[in-house]
C-alpha cells in the first residue's frame, strides 16, 4: 500500500517561512506602502492558508521554489486588494443623482475649496478673530439657515437621524409623541421612525390608519403625558389613492391649542421652490416654518447638495434647549462638514443653483444629455472601428435617489454598450474594476451609462474606460 504521508510532509516542509518571504525582493518592496506589521500578518495568513490546503490535499506536490513563488503572488494580491478598498473617487454613470452608496450629493467647487483651503488646517471653528476669543461653532451656517428658512434659530448635527434623535430625546424623552400610522416609515440606510422613537425614550403613540389620519385622531390621543406631535415626510414611500392627512398648518394650530410643539422631519427638504426642475412633492422648509412647525429637521446631503449633516431649524427656545443637552455634544458637526455646508448655503442664498452639482444635474435638459451622449459614441467610434463593441443611444430615465422625489423621473438619453464576446455582467464588472471605478447599470443584456450624473470634466476618463472594453 502506498503511503501518501511522506510526500505531504515534504510539501509541508517546503512552505517558505514568513522571514524568508519578507526577505524576497518582491515582498520587501511592499513594505513602505503597507508597513511591516501588516505585511508580516499577510505573509502569515498566506502561509497558514497553504498549510491548510496541503493538509486537506488540495495542493499537489510542489517544489520549494514553486511554493515560494506562489506565496509571493498571494501576498501581492492581498496587498493589492487591500489598497483597492480605500475610499476612492468613482464615476457615477448610474443616473441616480443622490446615490446613497456613492456618497449622496457631490460637493460644489466652493464647498471643496472651503474644505481643502479653509477648514483642513487650523480654522475659526470656535474662534472669533474680531474679538480675539471664543466664538460659536457653526455660527455662520446657523445664520444662513435662519435667513434661508425664516426660522428664529438653527443648529447643525451629524445627520438627520441624529437630529431626530436629539429632538425627540429633548422634547419628549420622558413622555409621549403622537405620530400618524401612515408616517412610520423606514428610509434607506436603516432609518426607521419607530426605532428612533424608542432610542430617544419617548413613547410612540400611533394614530389613524396607514392611508388615512384625521385631526380627530390626534385629538383623541392627547393626554397629560403627551409632549410632542411629530410629522414625518414619507420620503421614498408614497401612499396614493384613498388617502387623507391634515395639512401641516392645521396640525400646527391644533398642537398649539393643546399646548404642544409640532416637529416635522422633512427628510430631504428643499430651501427654495424647485418645481421648475420637476420637484413638487418635497417640503419647502420655509413653508413648514410659516405653516407653524416649531422645529424642522432635514438632511445636508440630499437635495440641499452639501455634506452629510442634520439641519435643525425652529423656535429659539427649542433650539437653545437642544444645544444645551449633553447629547448635542455627541452629535455635533465637525469643521469639514461645516465648511462645505456654509459654502453650499451661500450658493442657495444667491439662488446660484447651477453651482450645486445635485441641482445642476437634476436641471439638465434631455436635449443637452442627448447631445453629450451622441458626441460620446461618435468619439468612441473614431478609433474603435475594428472592435467588437457597439455603443448606441436609448431613451431612459434618471432618478433623484436618496429617498427624495420618488415620483420624479427625469427623461434622459442612455449610452447602451454591447460586446460580441463579453456578457453585460462582465462588461459592468470591468468598468467597476477600472481606475477610477465606473458604476453603471444593466438592463436587457445591455450596460447602460447615464451622463446626467457624470461631470463633464470626467467624460475623458469615462471614454478611456469604455475604450478599454473594446480591446
Ligand atoms: C433621509 C431621511 C432621514 C435620514 O437622514 P440622514 O441624514 O441620512 O440621517 C430621516 N428622515 C427622513 C424623513 C428622511 O427622508
Amino acid at each position: 500500500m502506498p503511503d501518501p504521508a511522506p510526500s505531504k510532509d515534504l510539501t509541508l516542509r517546503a512552505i517558505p517561512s514568513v522571514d524568508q518571504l519578507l526577505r524576497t525582493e518582491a515582498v520587501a518592496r511592499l513594505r513602505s506602502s503597507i508597513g511591516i506589521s501588516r505585511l508580516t500578518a499577510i505573509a502569515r495568513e498566506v502561509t497558514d492558508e497553504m498549510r491548510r490546503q496541503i493538509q486537506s490535499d488540495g495542493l499537489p506536490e510542489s517544489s520549494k521554489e514553486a511554493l515560494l513563488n506562489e506565496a509571493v503572488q498571494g501576498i501581492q494580491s492581498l496587498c493589492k486588494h487591500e489598497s483597492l478598498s480605500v475610499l476612492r473617487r468613482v464615476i457615477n454613470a448610474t443616473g441616480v443623482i443622490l446615490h446613497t452608496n456613492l456618497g449622496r450629493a457631490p460637493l460644489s467647487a466652493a464647498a471643496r475649496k472651503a474644505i481643502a483651503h479653509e477648514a483642513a488646517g487650523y480654522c475659526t471653528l470656535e474662534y472669533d478673530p474680531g474679538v480675539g476669543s471664543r466664538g460659536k461653532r457653526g455660527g455662520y451656517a446657523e445664520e444662513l439657515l435662519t435667513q434661508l428658512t425664516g426660522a428664529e434659530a438653527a443648529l447643525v448635527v451629524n445627520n438627520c437621524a441624529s437630529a431626530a434623535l436629539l429632538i425627540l430625546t429633548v422634547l419628549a424623552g420622558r413622555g409621549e409623541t403622537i405620530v400618524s400610522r401612515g408616517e412610520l416609515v423606514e428610509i434607506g440606510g436603516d432609518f426607521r421612525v419607530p426605532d428612533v422613537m424608542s432610542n430617544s425614550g419617548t413613547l410612540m403613540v400611533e394614530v389613524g390608519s396607514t392611508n388615512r389620519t384625521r385631526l380627530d385622531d390626534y385629538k383623541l390621543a392627547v393626554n397629560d403625558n403627551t409632549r410632542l406631535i411629530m410629522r414625518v415626510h414619507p420620503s421614498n414611500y408614497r401612499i396614493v389613492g384613498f388617502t387623507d392627512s391634515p395639512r401641516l398648518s392645521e396640525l400646527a394650530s391644533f398642537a398649539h391649542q393643546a399646548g404642544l410643539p409640532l416637529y416635522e422631519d422633512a427628510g430631504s427638504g428643499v430651501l427654495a421652490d424647485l418645481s421648475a426642475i420637476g420637484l413638487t412633492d418635497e417640503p419647502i422648509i420655509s413653508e413648514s416654518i410659516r405653516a407653524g412647525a416649531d422645529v424642522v429637521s432635514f438632511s445636508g446631503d440630499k437635495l440641499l447638495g452639501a455634506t452629510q449633516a442634520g439641519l435643525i431649524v425652529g423656535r429659539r427656545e427649542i433650539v437653545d434647549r437642544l444645544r444645551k443637552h449633553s447629547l448635542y455634544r455627541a452629535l455635533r458637526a465637525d469643521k469639514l462638514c461645516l465648511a462645505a455646508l456654509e459654502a453650499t448655503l451661500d450658493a442657495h442664498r444667491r439662488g446660484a443653483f447651477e453651482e450645486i452639482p445635485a441641482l445642476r444635474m437634476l436641471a439638465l435638459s434631455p436635449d443637452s444629455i442627448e447631445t453629450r451622449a451622441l458626441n460620446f459614441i461618435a468619439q468612441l467610434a473614431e478609433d474603435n472601428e475594428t472592435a467588437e463593441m457597439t455603443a448606441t443611444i436609448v431613451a431612459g430615465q434618471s432618478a433623484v435617489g436618496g429617498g427624495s422625489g420618488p415620483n420624479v423621473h427625469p427623461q434622459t438619453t442612455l449610452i447602451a454598450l454591447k460586446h460580441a464576446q463579453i456578457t453585460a455582467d462582465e462588461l459592468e464588472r470591468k468598468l467597476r474594476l477600472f481606475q477610477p471605478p465606473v458604476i453603471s447599470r444593466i438592463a436587457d443584456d445591455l450596460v447602460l451609462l447615464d451622463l446626467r450624473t457624470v461631470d463633464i470634466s470626467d467624460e475623458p476618463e469615462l471614454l478611456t474606460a469604455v475604450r478599454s472594453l473594446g480591446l
Side-chain angles (χ1 to χ4, degrees), residues 100 104 158-164 183 185-193 196 230-236 263-269 282 297-302 307-311 402-404:
T100 298
R104 286 199 187 150
N158 179 60
N159 55 15
C160 191
S162 337
E183 299 169 9
V185 292
E186 170 173 323
I187 290 143
D190 301 332
F191 178 87
R192 290 175 144 190
V193 173
V196 180
M230 183 178 185
R231 155 69 55 100
V232 185
H233 181 65
S235 301
N236 44 0
Y263 162 36
E264 182 187 39
D265 180 10
S268 188
E282 290 296 329
S297 63
F298 51 109
S299 288
D301 55 358
K302 293 184 182 171
T307 37
Q308 178 187 306
L311 310 177
S404 318

Side-chain angles (χ1 to χ4, degrees), residues 344-395:
T344 311
L345 291 172
D346 180 74
H348 278 279
R349 185 168 64 168
R350 289 180 283 110
F353 302 131
E354 70 289 349
E355 291 178 19
I356 301 167
L359 297 181
R360 182 172 66 227
M361 289 169 179
L362 190 57
L364 286 176
S365 72
D367 283 351
S368 71
I369 298 175
E370 181 176 8
T371 307
R372 282 171 63 192
L374 285 168
N375 270 334
F376 192 89
I377 59 172
Q379 281 176 277
L380 264 184
E382 266 171 30
D383 59 355
N384 214 28
E385 278 162 10
T386 57
E388 295 171 282
M389 199 179 61
T390 53
T392 49
I393 58 165
V394 293

Side-chain angles (χ1 to χ4, degrees), residues 91-99 104 106 276-279 303 354 356-374 376 394-401 408-415 439 441 448-459 462:
I91 295 179
N92 173 12
T94 64
V96 180
I97 297 170
L98 302 171
H99 198 303
R104 286 199 187 150
I277 52 173
L279 282 166
L303 285 165
E354 70 289 349
I356 301 167
L359 297 181
R360 182 172 66 227
M361 289 169 179
L362 190 57
L364 286 176
S365 72
D367 283 351
S368 71
I369 298 175
E370 181 176 8
T371 307
R372 282 171 63 192
L374 285 168
F376 192 89
V394 293
Q397 294 181 330
S398 312
V400 183
V408 183
H409 307 291
Q411 288 303 316
T412 195
T413 298
L414 303 163
I415 297 163
I439 317 302
R441 51 180 154 130
L448 302 175
L449 306 174
D450 187 344
L451 292 181
R452 183 185 292 277
T453 48
V454 177
D455 197 82
I456 294 204
S457 65
D458 288 340
E459 269 185 32
L462 181 61

Side-chain angles (χ1 to χ4, degrees), residues 93-328:
T94 64
V96 180
I97 297 170
L98 302 171
H99 198 303
T100 298
N101 300 147
L102 304 180
R104 286 199 187 150
L107 296 182
S108 69
R112 289 166 201 238
K113 187 158 171 270
I115 288 180
H117 296 288
E118 308 295 347
Y122 297 123
C123 62
T124 55
L125 181 63
E126 290 182 5
Y127 186 78
D128 181 347
V131 291
S133 66
R134 186 172 180 151
K136 185 167 146 202
R137 172 186 288 257
Y140 188 58
E142 290 172 15
E143 173 60 33
L144 289 170
L145 281 166
T146 57
Q147 289 174 15
L148 283 159
T149 61
E152 287 173 11
L155 192 66
V156 183
V157 291
N158 179 60
N159 55 15
C160 191
S162 337
L165 179 66
L166 180 64
I167 292 165
L168 291 167
T169 304
V170 174
L171 299 187
R174 294 210 178 83
E176 298 178 5
T177 299
I178 304 177
V179 66
S180 160
R181 287 199 170 87
E183 299 169 9
L184 298 178
V185 292
E186 170 173 323
I187 290 143
D190 301 332
F191 178 87
R192 290 175 144 190
V193 173
D195 293 349
V196 180
M197 289 251 191
S198 79
N199 289 337
S200 75
T202 194
L203 185 72
M204 177 171 77
V205 176
E206 307 168 29
V207 297
S209 63
T210 308
N211 55 329
R212 306 196 83 180
T213 303
R214 298 180 194 82
L215 212 46
D216 274 346
D217 297 317
Y218 289 91
K219 279 185 188 155
L220 288 169
V222 173
N223 64 45
D224 288 348
N225 292 325
T226 309
R227 296 286 173 276
L228 184 68
I229 294 182
M230 183 178 185
R231 155 69 55 100
V232 185
H233 181 65
S235 301
N236 44 0
Y237 169 79
R238 289 288 186 280
I239 304 168
V240 291
F242 188 56
T243 64
D244 196 10
S245 63
R247 282 187 314 202
L248 193 68
S249 56
E250 293 170 333
L251 203 52
S253 322
F254 160 69
H256 298 157
Q257 273 162 26
L260 296 166
L262 173 67
Y263 162 36
E264 182 187 39
D265 180 10
S268 188
V270 293
L271 293 171
D273 184 352
L274 298 179
S275 53
I277 52 173
L279 282 166
T280 50
D281 57 0
E282 290 296 329
I284 299 173
I285 307 301
S286 57
E287 286 183 3
S288 297
I289 293 292
R290 216 174 314 127
D294 299 283
V295 60
V296 181
S297 63
F298 51 109
S299 288
D301 55 358
K302 293 184 182 171
L303 285 165
L304 191 116
T307 37
Q308 178 187 306
L311 310 177
I312 301 172
V313 297
R315 287 203 287 117
R316 184 177 313 285
E317 178 265 328
I318 289 180
V319 172
D320 284 347
R321 279 170 66 198
L322 300 176
R323 193 192 311 276
K324 287 197 189 97
H325 194 277
S326 58
L327 197 52
Y328 167 67

